[in-house]
Amino acid sequence: WPEHLIVKSVHLLLEHRLVNVQQASLFRPLSIFQRIVAELQKTIGRDDNKALLQASLHYVHGDSAASSRFHIDNEGRVSVNLSQVKSSGAPVSAVILELRRWMEAYLAYCRRQIDPSVVDNVVAKVVNGNTT
C-alpha cells in the first residue's frame, strides 16, 4: 500500500474508534511505588527498607538488564534510569510491568517483616490518594 493510503486508513480507524492507542505513562506507577516505599520506610526504618528494596529487586530481576533500569539511592528512594531505558529501546509498557513485579515482590517482603495489615493500609492509602 502507498503511504498515503496507510495513513488515511489508520486515521479512519481512529476516527471511528475502531482501534485504541494505548497511552502508557511510567510516572504514575513510579510515583505510587515511591510513595509506598516512603510510607513503609517510616515503619521499617531506612536501612531495613533499603535492604528489602535491594533484595526484592534482585529476586525479581536478578542481574538482568531490567534490574539496571532501576536505582535505589542511599536514602532508600526508588527511581528509573531513563537514559538506560531509552538506550535499551525497552518499551514503556515493559518497564511498567518490570516495576510492577518489583513492587509486588517488595510488598511481599514487607509483609514478612512487619504486620501485613500495616502494609495493606499503606498501599490503600497511597493508591486512593489519601495523604494524611
Side-chain angles (χ1 to χ4, degrees), residues 95-114:
V95 178
I96 292 171
L97 185 58
E98 293 165 355
L99 180 68
R100 180 179 173 192
R101 288 182 181 145
W102 178 24
M103 183 173 65
E104 289 169 352
Y106 168 74
L107 292 172
Y109 276 51
C110 287
R111 284 183 183 101
R112 289 187 216 140
Q113 185 83 11
I114 59 175

Side-chain angles (χ1 to χ4, degrees), residues 26 65 68-69 80-92 95:
L26 177 61
S68 64
R69 294 191 233 292
V80 176
N81 183 344
L82 294 176
S83 62
Q84 198 280 343
V85 171
K86 185 175 180 179
S87 67
S88 72
V92 173
V95 178

Side-chain angles (χ1 to χ4, degrees), residues 39-103:
E39 286 296 316
L40 288 174
Q41 181 169 296
K42 294 174 185 176
T43 303
I44 299 170
R46 184 174 49 180
D47 292 336
D48 286 343
N49 191 50
K50 186 176 175 185
L52 291 175
L53 284 165
Q54 290 169 335
S56 59
L57 178 61
H58 189 267
Y59 173 77
V60 173
H61 297 298
D63 294 325
S64 69
S67 69
S68 64
R69 294 191 233 292
F70 303 107
H71 178 72
I72 306 163
D73 71 6
N74 289 333
E75 301 297 316
R77 292 181 296 240
V78 174
S79 61
V80 176
N81 183 344
L82 294 176
S83 62
Q84 198 280 343
V85 171
K86 185 175 180 179
S87 67
S88 72
V92 173
S93 58
V95 178
I96 292 171
L97 185 58
E98 293 165 355
L99 180 68
R100 180 179 173 192
R101 288 182 181 145
W102 178 24
M103 183 173 65

Side-chain angles (χ1 to χ4, degrees), residues 1-76:
W1 280 25
E3 288 181 28
H4 73 282
L5 287 179
I6 294 171
V7 171
K8 189 174 182 177
S9 299
V10 169
H11 181 272
L12 189 64
L13 290 170
L14 289 170
E15 190 175 80
H16 291 292
R17 299 179 191 254
L18 297 173
V19 294
N20 278 336
V21 177
Q22 187 174 8
Q23 302 278 333
S25 171
L26 177 61
F27 298 105
R28 177 156 164 62
L30 178 60
S31 174
I32 288 172
F33 189 28
Q34 289 170 330
R35 287 182 289 183
I36 289 170
V37 168
E39 286 296 316
L40 288 174
Q41 181 169 296
K42 294 174 185 176
T43 303
I44 299 170
R46 184 174 49 180
D47 292 336
D48 286 343
N49 191 50
K50 186 176 175 185
L52 291 175
L53 284 165
Q54 290 169 335
S56 59
L57 178 61
H58 189 267
Y59 173 77
V60 173
H61 297 298
D63 294 325
S64 69
S67 69
S68 64
R69 294 191 233 292
F70 303 107
H71 178 72
I72 306 163
D73 71 6
N74 289 333
E75 301 297 316

